[in-house]
Amino acid sequence: GDPQGQQMMDSLNQLSDMIRRQQELMDRTFQAQRGQNGDPSEDGKPMTRQELEQALKDLQQGQQDLAKRLQQLTEQMESMGMPQNGKLGQAGEAMGRAGEALGGRNPGAAVGEQGTALDQLRQGAQSLSQQLANRGQGMGQAEMDTPVGGG
């Protein structure tokens, strides 16, 4: 019966999905970084230059898509009148920088930015989760507005 609460839950679920996807991108970027350094990949063979180029291109595309999804989510949350979360904005900026680093064939820098984006996403989700919990308490305590043991 609480549309905004439901919207917050949906947003939280989407954020969880984004956190998982950002983690995957970061893991794959780290693999590409190792490939760039000539380290063998998981199958024991070093990446060819073409494989590396393609991997970085795919990663950049994935990172840009994820940044776009986050942008859409924050706009959606804003239009629902939900309090704006600075952490999500910072996560979006870090995603943008990670995408640029991947475009510049610099997976090392991208991994750092992806780590930042991941931290900010987690903090944003935690903050949203806290708001949701506070809402639930607020609704439950509406009848019990009298202070207990006033001291």
Side-chain angles (χ1 to χ4, degrees):
D2 176 15
Q4 194 176 19
Q6 187 56 51
Q7 179 64 38
M8 285 172 115
M9 278 303 295
D10 291 347
S11 299
L12 205 51
N13 290 336
Q14 287 183 52
L15 272 177
S16 302
D17 184 53
M18 286 183 203
I19 289 169
R20 185 183 51 75
R21 290 207 31 214
Q22 184 62 69
Q23 181 69 57
E24 285 170 9
L25 281 169
M26 193 168 121
D27 293 344
R28 287 174 42 211
T29 302
F30 184 69
Q31 288 295 326
Q33 181 188 10
R34 292 187 54 199
Q36 193 179 42
N37 296 340
D39 295 342
S41 60
E42 290 172 357
D43 61 6
K45 292 187 288 250
M47 285 176 126
T48 67
R49 183 172 205 79
Q50 282 173 314
E51 286 172 334
L52 181 64
E53 299 274 318
Q54 190 57 52
L56 291 175
K57 202 182 232 175
D58 293 347
L59 286 164
Q60 181 184 18
Q61 186 61 54
Q63 189 64 72
Q64 289 170 337
D65 291 348
L66 194 57
K68 210 175 289 174
R69 271 187 62 198
L70 179 62
Q71 179 66 37
Q72 291 167 342
L73 179 64
T74 52
E75 286 170 7
Q76 191 181 5
M77 288 166 67
E78 214 171 307
S79 71
M80 291 290 292
M82 290 159 69
Q84 265 320 283
N85 191 316
K87 296 294 180 196
L88 298 182
Q90 291 169 0
E93 290 167 19
M95 286 177 181
R97 292 190 299 267
E100 286 169 24
L102 288 164
R105 292 171 179 58
N106 188 349
V111 167
E113 292 296 348
Q114 288 170 329
T116 300
L118 207 49
D119 287 344
Q120 301 297 345
L121 280 172
R122 286 188 176 129
Q123 289 176 35
Q126 196 171 5
S127 160
L128 184 60
S129 167
Q130 192 62 52
Q131 289 172 17
L132 198 55
N134 292 346
R135 275 178 75 88
Q137 286 176 340
M139 293 177 141
Q141 290 180 349
E143 313 87 54
M144 303 164 52
D145 262 351
T146 50
V148 181

